[in-house]
Amino acid sequence: MPPSKGTGDSPAGSYDAIVVGAGVAGLYALRRLRDTLGLKVKVLEAGDGVGGTWYWNRYPGCRCDVESLEYSFSFDDALQQEWSWPERYGNQPEILDYVNHVADRFDLRRDIQFNTRVTAARYDRAGGRWRLDTAGGESFSAPICIMATGNLSVPRVPEFKGLESFQGRWYHTGMWPQGGVDFTGLRVAVIGTGSSGVQSIPIIARQAKQLTVFQRTANFILPAQNGPMDRARETRHKAEYTERRRAAYDTPFGIAGYPPPTRSALDVPAAERNAIYERKWAEGGSISFLYSFTDLLTNQAANDTASEFVRDKIRAIVKDPATAELLCPNDHPIGTKRLVLDTGYFETYNRANVTLVNARTAPIQEITPTGLRTTEAEYAFDAIVFATGFDAMTGALKEIDLRGADGLTLAEEWRDGPHTMLGIMCAGFPNLFMITGPGSPGVKSQMILSCEQHVDWIVGCLRHMRAHDIATVEPTRAAQEAWTRHVGDIAQMTLYPKANSWYMGANIPGKPRVFMPYVGGVDRYKRNCDEIAAAGYPGFVMTPRAEPMPRPLVAAAGND
Ligand code: NA7
């Protein structure tokens, strides 16, 4: 372990730990490493503010699909008791306010350097340090490096010919201008109907003169049933917060309060089954719906019953039958792509100024100076919105020239898909930790809970190293490959690999088709992590420090 805070003579740019990213993961890592372990930490952040995903995704309608009472930090009871969310689901400005409040409340900003994009990270085995270079030409070094770079942080605009020739304005939902965009009176195209498209389309439709939506794949979309926070429910929830947060770790998605299903969809008569789906539809939310029956994500016939229920809903809402049919998803089982929660999405297609175009049968060929051309027609637009997603899960890590002890880059190591131990570490990359990396349940869970769980596990590991005079930790190749195989094996037991999703890397041309998240459940995953820690980290190589650390090590005061 590196020395405790305040050793005084370290050169500029030299720290005990460097954290890349000041989103929820990076902020919590800073809080724990600095305030619990007493380390000298620097957080490097590309943006000019905290918040990560919630900092960049400012598109209209951007909202979390996990309820706000759940989607928040659990590490400080006063924080969770005092913060009050206005609605059932937090929207982007509210969540960003919350993250800023956390940064101020715990005095985190003083250790964050904004407007600093990390371009390279190399490990020097002889010196036992990571050296990070930034786009601005600065260098930082530390024995410990934590990549809190996010799973949906590299926005992707498809490589359409002619984009540079477009004379109107174009936007990507994940790089939205800070001041917002006014589409009043404009002819607007939205390309993409994932969560970002579905959330923004109803709002853009209300402003635009004409909105044309280009849909390549119809998605399963459920009503969020958002509304003002039910204050009685909030009071009850807050009274049970500690217990609820603990119970969340015993659930597959990291969210407590949904009674686990007990029956197969196929064991229930059709009328009763539909009544259950109807109740879940009215209740709102995705987990509740997927929890209708035990086998919606593992049995195609069971899944078909839920898929057909949703298709019938679409047919009932959308008045034009051809548009309704085009909006009906039919190429993947429900839940195998990220379920989208909406507010008034399907109703939007009943507006006279909204048109849906099938970009599957008529793919977009090029952007023109005045709009775009598909294989079938040419369209004129004043503005184009790319809601085309992200190079998910591996994009941000592969974008950095990240080289391990043997000089190989992570991108080379992951040529055929990500190989990780627990989604937290990689063989050959000593003391480099990822928060919610591929191979962890991160994106399939309540993300803040997973960030906290990963950081807590890392803090436990660093404490173990400090107690045993260990200089470096890294997983063995054998353990890493066993874990990576296990992640794949679990996925194969489900319907998930049937969808061309960003979980599979399918939205990026040339990206290996590997199912990246761990879908064995947060509960099973956390037990596994805890058992590894309790057993002294089997599957990891711990290299002793050449010279024992001077004692005593002074840990700063802070919560454990
Ligand atoms: P997603 O879910 O990856 O959605 C991207 C959308 O863009 C999706 O509908 C894609 O169709 C579409 N797309 C991508 N490239 C093209 C081209 N070339 N032509 C037409 N359409 C295209 O990203 P989001 O930002 O909406 O959501 C990401 C996550 O954020 C979401 O899952 C939540 O977890 C929050 P495709 O389906 O690939 O055919």
Side-chain angles (χ1 to χ4, degrees):
M1 276 293 289
S4 291
K5 194 174 183 179
T7 45
D9 56 355
S10 54
S14 173
Y15 295 88
D16 296 335
I18 292 172
V19 176
V20 184
V24 294
L27 292 181
Y28 185 58
L30 169 58
R31 163 76 175 156
R32 293 283 270 141
L33 266 64
R34 186 189 73 184
D35 297 342
T36 304
L37 293 179
L39 301 185
K40 182 181 170 196
V41 183
K42 178 62 91 183
V43 179
L44 304 176
E45 164 57 49
D48 70 1
V50 297
T53 298
W54 301 106
Y55 171 89
W56 297 104
N57 284 269
R58 295 167 188 256
Y59 62 83
C62 180
R63 192 179 285 283
C64 189
D65 58 5
V66 174
E67 295 192 37
S68 43
L69 285 167
E70 299 288 346
Y71 191 82
S72 49
F73 287 109
S74 71
F75 69 87
D76 187 271
D77 193 48
L79 169 68
Q80 66 185 8
Q81 293 298 336
E82 286 163 29
W83 190 263
S84 190
W85 296 96
E87 294 184 321
R88 180 175 175 188
Y89 300 89
N91 67 21
Q92 180 270 333
E94 289 158 10
I95 298 173
L96 191 58
D97 274 357
Y98 169 76
V99 179
N100 272 290
H101 169 82
V102 171
D104 291 333
R105 186 174 180 128
F106 298 99
D107 193 18
L108 301 177
R109 262 178 236 284
R110 68 181 151 95
D111 292 309
I112 306 172
Q113 182 170 318
F114 294 105
N115 300 306
T116 304
R117 182 172 288 279
V118 171
T119 52
R122 284 137 211 267
Y123 187 69
D124 164 26
R125 203 180 273 280
R129 295 181 81 81
W130 281 96
R131 181 190 143 128
L132 283 78
D133 298 328
T134 74
E138 287 178 280
S139 290
F140 297 82
S141 82
I144 293 165
C145 180
I146 299 199
M147 290 292 173
T149 42
N151 281 280
L152 295 162
S153 45
V154 178
R156 178 187 161 267
V157 175
E159 287 171 9
F160 291 126
K161 203 171 100 194
L163 181 58
E164 68 299 334
S165 74
F166 183 55
Q167 286 166 359
R169 306 294 297 266
W170 67 265
Y171 310 91
H172 187 288
T173 48
M175 301 182 283
W176 205 256
Q178 294 233 7
V181 181
D182 182 6
F183 292 105
T184 305
L186 302 184
R187 297 161 303 167
V188 182
V190 174
I191 303 172
T193 52
S195 205
S196 306
V198 167
Q199 291 185 334
S200 57
I201 283 165
I203 294 168
I204 297 174
R206 291 202 289 272
Q207 287 179 5
K209 183 164 116 201
Q210 174 66 39
L211 171 63
T212 309
V213 176
F214 292 84
Q215 172 193 276
R216 189 165 67 182
T217 308
N219 249 325
F220 283 102
I221 300 162
L222 303 174
Q225 309 290 17
N226 188 36
M229 177 63 73
D230 172 341
R231 294 298 164 198
R233 185 167 161 235
E234 180 188 20
T235 304
R236 277 198 311 278
H237 197 108
K238 286 187 171 178
E240 299 163 357
Y241 240 147
T242 307
E243 174 50 27
R244 278 178 165 272
R245 299 288 199 187
R246 199 206 51 71
Y249 281 119
D250 291 329
T251 67
F253 298 109
I255 301 178
Y258 298 102
T262 52
R263 291 183 295 175
S264 158
L266 304 176
D267 289 344
V268 178
E272 185 187 342
R273 195 167 55 214
N274 275 344
I276 290 171
Y277 291 143
E278 199 66 63
R279 206 171 59 241
K280 302 280 191 169
W281 179 273
E283 186 183 318
S286 52
I287 293 179
S288 156
F289 193 87
L290 290 174
Y291 260 29
S292 299
F293 298 104
T294 51
D295 47 0
L296 293 186
L297 290 172
T298 51
N299 181 312
Q300 182 69 57
N303 187 287
D304 288 342
T305 66
S307 299
E308 193 52 24
F309 172 85
V310 174
R311 285 191 284 263
D312 282 344
K313 283 286 183 196
I314 298 169
R315 294 176 185 123
I317 298 170
V318 179
K319 294 193 177 123
D320 173 52
T323 304
E325 224 36 58
L326 187 50
L327 287 165
C328 284
N330 54 21
D331 75 337
H332 62 282
I334 187 169
T336 56
K337 284 181 105 150
R338 178 83 173 199
L339 271 171
V340 176
L341 296 189
D342 82 306
T343 300
Y345 176 69
F346 291 119
E347 291 82 349
T348 300
Y349 292 94
N350 294 332
R351 295 175 66 100
N353 70 331
V354 177
T355 312
L356 182 65
V357 172
N358 187 343
R360 168 84 52 200
T361 52
I364 297 166
Q365 284 213 303
E366 70 174 309
I367 309 293
T368 65
T370 53
L372 66 80
R373 185 176 15 247
T374 70
T375 50
E376 280 178 3
E378 184 150 1
Y379 300 82
F381 296 115
D382 304 304
I384 299 176
V385 174
F386 293 97
T388 43
F390 300 86
D391 186 351
M393 303 192 69
T394 55
L397 290 165
K398 283 160 86 170
E399 222 171 46
I400 297 170
D401 183 12
L402 184 47
R403 287 174 195 271
D406 303 322
L408 270 184
T409 65
L410 196 72
E412 285 161 340
E413 294 269 352
W414 288 4
R415 223 175 294 116
D416 61 348
H419 296 250
T420 73
M421 177 63 174
L422 302 172
I424 300 181
M425 294 200 87
C426 298
F429 293 78
N431 290 2
L432 182 95
F433 299 92
M434 299 170 289
I435 313 292
T436 67
S440 84
V443 294
K444 294 300 303 167
S445 73
Q446 199 277 81
M447 211 46 187
I448 300 185
L449 165 136
S450 279
C451 292
E452 289 185 326
Q453 188 249 327
H454 273 191
V455 171
D456 291 347
W457 190 89
I458 293 165
V459 166
C461 180
L462 295 177
R463 275 202 168 123
H464 175 91
M465 292 166 70
R466 174 182 276 175
H468 295 87
D469 274 326
I470 302 290
T472 63
V473 59
E474 64 181 287
T476 65
R477 291 244 167 224
Q480 170 173 291
E481 292 322 303
W483 178 255
T484 302
R485 259 195 318 278
H486 174 63
V487 170
D489 290 347
I490 294 256
Q492 289 307 323
M493 292 158 65
T494 72
L495 300 175
Y496 281 109
K498 288 195 169 196
N500 290 323
S501 63
W502 56 258
Y503 300 140
M504 287 287 285
N507 62 324
I508 303 292
K511 192 165 171 172
R513 295 282 179 108
V514 174
F515 190 83
M516 295 183 283
Y518 173 77
V519 284
V522 165
D523 41 359
R524 213 187 301 181
Y525 174 82
K526 180 172 187 296
R527 272 200 305 278
N528 197 1
C529 290
D530 291 348
E531 281 164 18
I532 288 172
Y537 301 92
F540 290 85
V541 181
M542 298 252 178
T543 308
R545 181 178 299 286
E547 308 238 329
M549 286 291 296
R551 294 184 184 274
L553 284 165
V554 184
N559 68 335
D560 276 1

